[in-house]
Amino acid sequence: MLTFDSLSKSQELSSAVQSASAPSQIVAACASIESFLHSHSPDQSRHFFSLAFPTLISKLFGFDDPAAANAWIHHPDLAQTLFSLLSPAGTLAGAIAAVDRLSLVKYVFPAERLPHWTRSLLLADSRPLSDLCPSLFKPSRSPSQIQLNVFEYFFFWFAYYPVSRGKNDNPDPASVKRVKKFRLEDWTWTSSIPSFSASKRSPEGKPHCDLYTRLLCAYLRAYVPSYDLSAHQPYRTSILHYGSGYDASVAARAEFVVNTLIHFWLVDNDFSPLPGCRSLGVSFPAGEAPPAPGLGEVVRLFVRYLNLSTVAAFRESGGECGSPRWRTLEGSKSKDLARSLGCWNFCVQRPLYRFLLRTFLFCPMAASVKNVSQVLSVWAGYLEPWTMNGDEFSKVDEINGEKKENSVAASAGGGFMPRWQDYVLSNYLYYSSLVMHFVGFAHRFLHSDVEIIVQMVLKVLDTLTSSKELIDLLKTVDSLFHSKQAGSGKTMLNNLYKYIPIIREQLQDWEDGLCETDADGSFLHENWNKDLRLFADGEDGGQQLLQLFILRAEAELQTISGNNLVSSLQCIDSLKAKLGFLFDGHIIKSSSSCPEPMPHQQSRDEIFKPRRAGNHAFADVKYKGDWMRRPISNDEIAWLAKILIRLSNWLNESLGLNHAETSQVSSTVSYVEVSADVAHICGPSEALKVFFCTIGSWFLFLGAASLGLMRKYGLRVNLRILASKKVVMVFVLYVAFGILKKLIRAVHGMWGRI
């Protein structure tokens, strides 16, 4: 009888949740859910989780509405009601823990909502996901299905919500227009939490924070320890109800939450989602797919929270160089040990690096720079964990009406110190190779919004030059990376040299599969996965590329008239000063804050021609790189350009035009033997034969002479010009005109016969 009663009430709740759209109806539905869960045991609640819980998730996040306009989470007036329902300390969370403890309910998560790489693997049916990522996917009887318990099912949908919202807000990257300009302070950590600002306050005078951010902070604080899994965690007694003997379950829950957010947000459509994919026998088709847009704020909060464990690990060392606990983690290379000690940096290193790198490399040309600026904030915060404060999340706790104890001292924060050396070396590519890739992004997107791009580059240089000790450490490691000596007599250099094999391994693995295409070359793609170029002296080194960027930015700013011109030129002067500090005083002459009128207006083509810093005249500077490998412009058809480039490369290789003509002349002399038998020479036929042979010889001679001249002067076949939209349009119009002309003639002939 009780079972039938719980079943009927669960069906009624499902109908009430489905029909609730007005705020009063939503509040009533939430109250009914809490009342039901209070009055029923876990065994009786399974009907609610089977029937009403999926409907609740759908209505909460708006998954039943393509536009998600009526999602409950979008109603600011219902934020407190929904937070009380979904809080880790709430009745619903306790019921979920009780049902999962008895394994009463299992769900099948839809494959089309999974991260892209898992969907590809399920379709290929090559290897079970539980073998590749056991903390996220459990073994299942059906390898093509993902079976989850109640908590896992809810958290998968919770992690998928920002991805879904970002895709709905940006359905076509090519159609995104440039947004209103914003200042650098708008996307730095003026406040510790995304979507939170001291200027945003409710009518009661309390700080305001959106519901999803509040829930994300609460779940991270409840399930993911920031220092040690054996330490007391918020909500532990209210939801998990575990004693000291259930630390393994607490650890598994924490690892599940972290990996879910990593794979839904950071990995998703990455074609190299796991370390050492090739050694695992798993391969995915490579493609230029950027991460989902709109994830910058939640990723920043997530990474910022995980860095609390890093800060705690280094703070325990006091004034020493490095941390004993960090070195234990680093030396073991064991994720289980990292998890047990509550340090999550080693779990997020690779996926975060590739998330940042794919954002910079594959950002669509017409996309808004706001998404990249949010990602840049993630990177900047990761580069400077020593600036974090221990009470960064206390403001959100205040909004939630709770007071939590922080495992990291509130007095934390400051500049780079020697004890952070191990952290920098373990994440060296973030300070070196990723900077070079970002400079390439800045060159490509400089024309989209020169003021914002200059501010972004200035932000990166500000971070790198924040400490002289940090610069010296980066340069020392770079010199050791390029040196051939296996060691040195100095103890400090020997301690640094042990990181060089790790950096080489990271360079190969973290940038796996990211290589240039024939139609999308750039400044930096020549030596990927092979070398570090930030402090290199060549034309593709960091100093030359940054100087070139400054010259291009100055030229672009000179053509812009506006109120921000003076401040933009001041940013250029700051860039030059930072560049000189980074590269030992080699700077470009500062520009005037009040520019004089230009004697003539430069054309846009002149502005975008590559320049080189130094005392060379502009006419002496040549473009470095293959013209056919330049990025595809908006005036070209991308797929046709790639086909024509491949055809041009094949012709050049077949005709030998890819190699310069040698000056050596063959000593072999060819002789033509004339037959002495003149008896068979007869009139007209032989004369025609000689005539046609002469004409053919002249054509062959002209062809050989043309090829020789092309080899001599370095000319090659280039069919890429045919991919121009103007050329294709002329060809299409010509064909259409010819077809139309024939149709008119045919119709005219038919009428004539009639």
Side-chain angles (χ1 to χ4, degrees):
M1 185 66 181
L2 290 176
T3 302
F4 179 78
D5 178 67
S6 64
L7 177 61
S8 61
K9 287 186 177 180
S10 298
Q11 293 173 341
E12 293 175 0
L13 281 176
S14 179
S15 301
V17 170
Q18 182 65 45
S19 60
S21 57
S24 58
Q25 295 175 330
I26 297 175
V27 171
C30 293
S32 300
I33 291 173
E34 291 189 347
S35 176
F36 176 86
L37 295 176
H38 268 300
S39 58
H40 289 78
S41 64
D43 183 64
Q44 298 166 355
S45 300
R46 61 180 176 179
H47 298 296
F48 165 80
F49 289 106
S50 299
L51 300 175
F53 191 63
T55 307
L56 174 63
I57 294 176
S58 179
K59 296 293 290 186
L60 175 66
F61 298 115
F63 294 137
D64 59 341
D65 183 7
N70 297 321
W72 292 5
I73 200 171
H74 294 168
H75 292 272
D77 298 337
L78 301 174
Q80 189 56 43
T81 300
L82 293 176
F83 182 82
S84 299
L85 176 67
L86 302 172
S87 169
T91 305
L92 178 61
I96 290 175
V99 170
D100 283 343
R101 194 179 301 115
L102 300 176
S103 300
L104 297 176
V105 180
K106 293 291 183 181
Y107 299 95
V108 175
F109 194 81
E112 63 272 12
R113 300 291 188 263
L114 289 169
H116 188 271
W117 75 270
T118 59
R119 299 202 303 266
S120 303
L121 204 61
L122 287 176
L123 291 175
D125 197 19
S126 57
R127 189 168 180 178
L129 290 172
S130 58
D131 293 348
L132 300 176
C133 193
S135 63
L136 200 61
F137 304 104
K138 303 298 186 293
S140 173
R141 295 180 180 178
S142 176
S144 61
Q145 292 182 348
I146 304 300
Q147 295 185 3
L148 307 171
N149 62 26
V150 181
F151 175 81
E152 295 168 344
Y153 183 74
F154 171 77
F155 208 80
F156 264 43
W157 283 116
F158 180 81
Y160 175 73
Y161 168 72
V163 179
S164 173
R165 186 175 184 181
K167 292 178 180 178
N168 291 334
D169 292 344
N170 301 275
D172 184 7
S175 64
V176 178
K177 304 298 182 182
R178 193 176 73 177
V179 298
K180 182 180 179 181
K181 292 184 179 181
F182 47 93
R183 295 185 60 81
L184 181 67
E185 291 79 6
D186 293 337
W187 37 270
T188 55
W189 276 76
T190 52
S191 66
S192 303
I193 307 302
S195 304
F196 173 86
S197 174
S199 62
K200 294 182 180 180
R201 291 188 175 271
S202 62
E204 295 80 7
K206 295 182 179 180
H208 170 73
C209 188
D210 69 87
L211 176 59
Y212 189 87
T213 301
R214 292 174 58 187
L215 288 173
L216 178 59
C217 288
Y219 293 149
L220 289 175
R221 300 271 282 178
Y223 306 130
V224 182
S226 60
Y227 182 70
D228 193 347
L229 287 174
S230 61
H232 172 74
Q233 291 299 311
Y235 314 114
R236 181 173 178 180
T237 57
S238 59
I239 178 174
L240 299 178
H241 303 288
Y242 294 151
S244 58
Y246 286 90
D247 286 345
S249 299
V250 176
R253 174 71 58 91
E255 191 172 5
F256 169 81
V257 170
V258 170
N259 281 301
T260 298
L261 298 180
I262 285 176
H263 284 278
F264 271 92
W265 294 351
L266 302 182
V267 180
D268 190 20
N269 55 354
D270 192 351
F271 50 82
S272 180
L274 301 171
C277 278
R278 298 178 184 177
S279 61
L280 294 174
V282 180
S283 61
F284 301 90
E288 299 180 2
L295 294 177
E297 290 190 351
V298 292
V299 169
R300 182 172 62 178
L301 170 60
F302 174 55
V303 174
R304 200 74 174 177
Y305 181 83
L306 295 186
N307 264 354
L308 286 177
S309 63
T310 303
V311 173
F314 278 90
R315 288 281 150 72
E316 71 176 14
S317 63
E320 299 177 4
C321 181
S323 163
R325 187 158 66 95
W326 177 269
R327 289 177 175 175
T328 301
L329 292 166
E330 190 178 51
S332 66
K333 296 184 179 180
S334 170
K335 291 185 177 180
D336 294 334
L337 181 59
R339 181 192 67 183
S340 64
L341 293 179
C343 190
W344 303 102
N345 182 266
F346 296 99
C347 298
V348 79
Q349 271 184 322
R350 185 185 190 270
L352 178 61
Y353 184 89
R354 291 185 64 86
F355 174 83
L356 299 171
L357 184 56
R358 290 188 299 122
T359 300
F360 297 148
L361 293 182
F362 304 143
C363 181
M365 293 300 295
S368 168
V369 296
K370 182 178 181 180
N371 181 60
V372 182
S373 68
Q374 293 175 345
V375 173
L376 181 68
S377 298
V378 180
W379 181 26
Y382 190 83
L383 290 177
E384 295 182 306
W386 46 83
T387 62
M388 291 185 62
N389 294 317
D391 58 349
E392 287 194 355
F393 292 84
S394 60
K395 294 181 179 180
V396 179
D397 295 335
E398 178 186 350
I399 298 172
N400 296 340
E402 298 159 345
K403 183 66 176 177
K404 304 290 183 297
E405 295 181 0
N406 293 296
S407 58
V408 182
S411 60
F416 174 80
M417 289 182 288
R419 65 186 178 191
W420 286 99
Q421 174 179 296
D422 288 336
Y423 177 86
V424 174
L425 297 177
S426 300
N427 297 277
Y428 187 80
L429 295 187
Y430 283 88
Y431 299 85
S432 178
S433 182
L434 192 58
V435 175
M436 294 296 290
H437 291 299
F438 173 72
V439 173
F441 160 83
H443 273 286
R444 287 186 290 116
F445 280 81
L446 181 63
H447 66 280
S448 63
D449 195 326
V450 59
E451 297 176 11
I452 299 302
I453 298 299
V454 167
Q455 291 180 13
M456 294 169 72
V457 176
L458 180 59
K459 173 62 179 175
V460 174
L461 290 185
D462 273 336
T463 303
L464 291 179
T465 58
S466 60
S467 170
K468 178 63 175 171
E469 291 80 4
L470 177 60
I471 296 177
D472 293 340
L473 176 62
L474 297 178
K475 289 183 178 180
T476 302
V477 175
D478 184 82
S479 62
L480 290 176
F481 184 90
H482 294 96
S483 66
K484 297 182 180 179
Q485 297 179 358
S488 173
K490 296 183 178 180
T491 305
M492 184 192 72
L493 294 182
N494 286 332
N495 292 335
L496 296 180
Y497 193 84
K498 68 181 181 180
Y499 284 93
I500 302 303
I502 299 176
I503 294 174
R504 294 187 187 277
E505 182 181 349
Q506 290 175 346
L507 190 62
Q508 291 287 340
D509 183 40
W510 292 4
E511 299 190 7
D512 176 40
L514 296 173
C515 58
E516 69 171 328
T517 63
D518 292 337
D520 187 24
S522 80
F523 296 93
L524 306 170
H525 293 187
E526 294 180 359
N527 295 315
W528 280 8
N529 303 334
K530 297 179 181 179
D531 204 357
L532 301 175
R533 308 297 300 172
L534 178 59
F535 297 102
D537 297 328
E539 294 181 353
D540 57 348
Q543 182 178 359
Q544 292 290 338
L545 290 178
L546 285 169
Q547 289 178 339
L548 174 60
F549 171 81
I550 292 175
L551 292 176
R552 290 186 59 202
E554 279 187 314
E556 184 78 10
L557 287 172
Q558 295 292 346
T559 64
I560 299 176
S561 59
N563 299 329
N564 298 327
L565 179 58
V566 174
S567 61
S568 298
L569 291 177
Q570 290 175 350
C571 287
I572 292 292
D573 292 340
S574 299
L575 269 179
K576 294 176 181 178
K578 298 293 183 182
L579 188 63
F581 186 60
L582 183 61
F583 295 102
D584 298 328
H586 302 290
I587 61 175
I588 310 174
K589 183 179 178 181
S590 298
S591 59
S592 174
S593 298
C594 298
E596 299 179 358
M598 296 183 65
H600 67 281
Q601 185 72 18
Q602 289 180 297
S603 67
R604 190 174 185 84
D605 292 336
E606 291 177 349
I607 295 173
F608 280 95
K609 287 181 180 179
R611 295 167 170 79
R612 182 188 304 173
N615 298 323
H616 301 282
F618 176 74
D620 297 334
V621 181
K622 296 182 179 180
Y623 176 73
K624 181 182 181 296
D626 191 347
W627 186 84
M628 285 195 298
R629 291 177 178 265
R630 76 187 193 283
I632 294 177
S633 64
N634 294 330
D635 296 331
E636 294 178 308
I637 301 175
W639 63 269
L640 183 58
K642 293 180 180 180
I643 294 176
L644 293 176
I645 287 172
R646 292 190 179 96
L647 180 59
S648 300
N649 288 336
W650 178 79
L651 289 174
N652 290 324
E653 189 66 30
S654 300
L655 298 175
L657 298 178
N658 288 333
H659 308 284
E661 185 180 36
T662 59
S663 58
Q664 297 179 354
V665 180
S666 175
S667 59
T668 304
V669 180
S670 300
Y671 295 92
V672 179
E673 295 183 1
V674 181
S675 175
D677 186 5
V678 297
H680 299 287
I681 298 178
C682 53
S685 61
E686 293 293 336
L688 287 175
K689 187 176 181 180
V690 170
F691 174 76
F692 286 121
C693 288
T694 303
I695 297 298
S697 299
W698 273 104
F699 277 113
L700 291 175
F701 172 76
L702 289 175
S706 300
L707 288 176
L709 289 174
M710 293 178 70
R711 294 192 187 100
K712 181 178 180 180
Y713 293 101
L715 302 178
R716 293 182 300 164
V717 177
N718 186 3
L719 303 178
R720 180 172 178 171
I721 191 175
L722 300 179
S724 172
K725 293 180 180 179
K726 296 178 181 178
V727 175
V728 174
M729 182 60 68
V730 170
F731 176 75
V732 171
L733 291 176
Y734 176 79
V735 173
F737 179 77
I739 295 175
L740 183 62
K741 186 177 180 180
K742 291 183 179 180
L743 288 175
I744 293 175
R745 286 181 178 178
V747 172
H748 182 71
M750 292 176 60
W751 281 103
R753 287 193 295 271
I754 294 175

